[in-house]
Amino acid sequence: MPGRAASSQAALAAAGAVAGIVTALVALGVAQIIAAILSSPIGAPVAAVGELSINHTPPAVKNFAIREFGSNDKTVLVWGIRGILIIFAAVIGIVAVRRLWYGMVGLAIFGGIGVYAALSQPTAKGTDALPSIIGAVVAFFALRYFSSRAAGLPVRQRPWRPERTGPVSGTGDRERGAAGEAPGGLPADQAEPGGPATPGGPATPVTPPGPVWREIGPGRAPVDAAPDRRRFLLASAAVAGVSLLTYAGGSWLAESRDVNAIQQALKLPPPAVPAPPLPAGANLRIPGLSSFITPNSSFYRVDTAIVLPEILPASWQLRIHGMVSKELVLTFDDLIKRPLLEDYVTLCCVSNPVGGPYIGNAKWLGASLRSLLREAGIKAGADQLFCTSSDGFTSGTPVATAMDGRDAMLAVAMNDAPLPVEHGFPARLVIPGLYGYVSACKWIVDIEVTTYASNVSYWAQRGWDAQAPIKTESRIDVPTGLNPIKAGKPVTIAGVAWAQHKGIEAVEVRIGGGAWQQARLAAVPDIDTWRQWVYEWDAGVRPGTYVIEARATDKTGYTQTSLQEPPEPNGASGYPGVQVSIVS
């Protein structure tokens, strides 16, 4: 009987888990469609919890996520949240089939987390709580219905019947029981016929061998749980399917209202100061080598936004205030009516490891930041531009860097097209020579002229340096080291090097720890971009394993250090290396 009881408990728990998961899908589907109807992207529970997680995740965990998953870190986070929600929902269902109100308490916690996550966002409105609230209310009814159905599934039963009529071996209670009782505790006069008569008593029922079944009276039909179980599973599958479709529909509705169509149709004026033409030889056109211009579609993306801010140009405003003589408020039309400048600028994420992918070069169009700050009039003592994104992210830029004459801009276009939404549409900051977390605030809506002592930006709060000039670095793009190289066969070694606003003067390559050899450099339009380089190696060495390394020297005379340092707190350093196998 213990085995039978354990099996029944496991079946009940499984049915409860199904009920809980279906309830969670109902809640998420309803909440997603409500969030879409209300145009509340941060009201959707998964997105809200994701944003909350990003804002409260320890820096070490964030650094690990960016290092291991790169631009896919948010996808991993969202699927992780979904997985945790499903596990939590299954537990709620298992509890609810035993004590419904326990499950209701769990569901209330489930909804409360969604409400708190939505309202904790810097741009939250009261209505952002409604998707989680409405989703939880509907889920209460779903949990009550499915948990009651799960708890009511019958246990399979069959009538007892004797399987043999010979004498029963054994002694004691199995043979007779207490005085006046048949085996099994039945009064002797109620025992069923069929067993042999024991001395001094009526026929004795025989207990069949094997699993113990629930005994029911003679003449009653067995109860088969299969039809009820099938109905329960079919109903659960149907409701889960509808909920998933509702979730997908809500996601589609939210995306169908995005600003991509407006972004693609936006017409921008030509630059008053166009970028210099690309010199001949800027692109070496070597297979596997990064192109001089990084296409928008493959430009790296590292930010804190689970839900991309969608800002209509007609509703965008930028406020410049703080330690200024005159506060400025600009609309998008005001911004693009100013003289626009165009320049090639390479951006790099501080999380980029040595030889890493989080760097790209583009042609940017925007209004001069220095001109705007001059118009506002910066007061003495100010040393930081505390920039805020529409999603609440903050960055801190040195005033001196923004004002020293480099092409710092409020960019509105990227590679001859309006900014993609994921890259800051309708406007973002671009400042050459600084890592992105202090110079490239996307979806920018506010610039407070202040001091580093008065305001601490998002990443500085998490242990990264408040000021972060880009380090002189290089990368080897080819060869990759994945394929063996035949000895004596010419090998092209090529990559990119960068030292924004200083410029690359030289790149050197060494193989197997030997002497450094000068690489040939591609042409560049100015000092704010990366620079391609190439070295031709004859591979005239013995078969074996060799490490190819590179180092860059900038125009100030500084040579890239060999000291290996991680990205935090102010950018990685060290020589990039590729291990190759030489075969005969």
Side-chain angles (χ1 to χ4, degrees), residues 126-175:
T127 53
D128 292 328
L130 290 178
S132 289
I133 292 173
I134 296 172
V137 169
V138 176
F140 277 122
F141 292 100
L143 181 62
R144 182 173 182 176
Y145 175 83
F146 282 102
S147 64
S148 65
R149 292 298 180 272
L153 290 176
V155 179
R156 182 177 176 88
Q157 299 173 330
R158 76 176 185 184
W160 175 89
R161 59 181 179 271
E163 294 192 358
R164 52 180 175 166
T165 57
V168 179
S169 62
T171 59
D173 290 343
R174 175 167 177 88
E175 205 170 357

Side-chain angles (χ1 to χ4, degrees), residues 199-248:
T204 303
V206 177
T207 302
V212 177
W213 297 75
R214 182 180 298 173
E215 297 178 359
I216 62 175
R220 291 173 58 186
V223 179
D224 189 354
D228 284 330
R229 188 174 292 110
R230 280 195 295 270
R231 283 192 291 270
F232 171 75
L233 292 176
L234 286 173
S236 299
V239 173
V242 171
S243 299
L244 289 172
L245 288 174
T246 303
Y247 187 92

Side-chain angles (χ1 to χ4, degrees), residues 240-336:
V242 171
S243 299
L244 289 172
L245 288 174
T246 303
Y247 187 92
S251 300
W252 174 84
L253 181 60
E255 292 173 0
S256 68
R257 292 182 173 180
D258 66 18
V259 298
N260 280 328
I262 295 172
Q263 178 261 346
Q264 293 169 7
L266 184 65
K267 301 298 182 184
L268 295 170
V273 182
L278 283 182
N283 256 321
L284 296 178
R285 305 190 185 282
I286 296 170
L289 174 63
S290 301
S291 62
F292 179 75
I293 296 293
T294 307
N296 292 357
S297 59
S298 56
F299 206 95
Y300 80 94
R301 178 196 163 201
V302 177
D303 53 51
T304 63
I306 289 286
V307 178
L308 292 176
E310 296 184 346
I311 308 169
L312 296 173
S315 62
W316 179 85
Q317 283 189 333
L318 174 67
R319 180 187 178 210
I320 301 176
H321 62 106
M323 297 174 67
V324 295
S325 301
K326 181 178 67 174
E327 181 174 316
L328 300 179
V329 177
L330 289 88
T331 66
F332 189 75
D333 282 344
D334 293 334
L335 186 66
I336 63 175

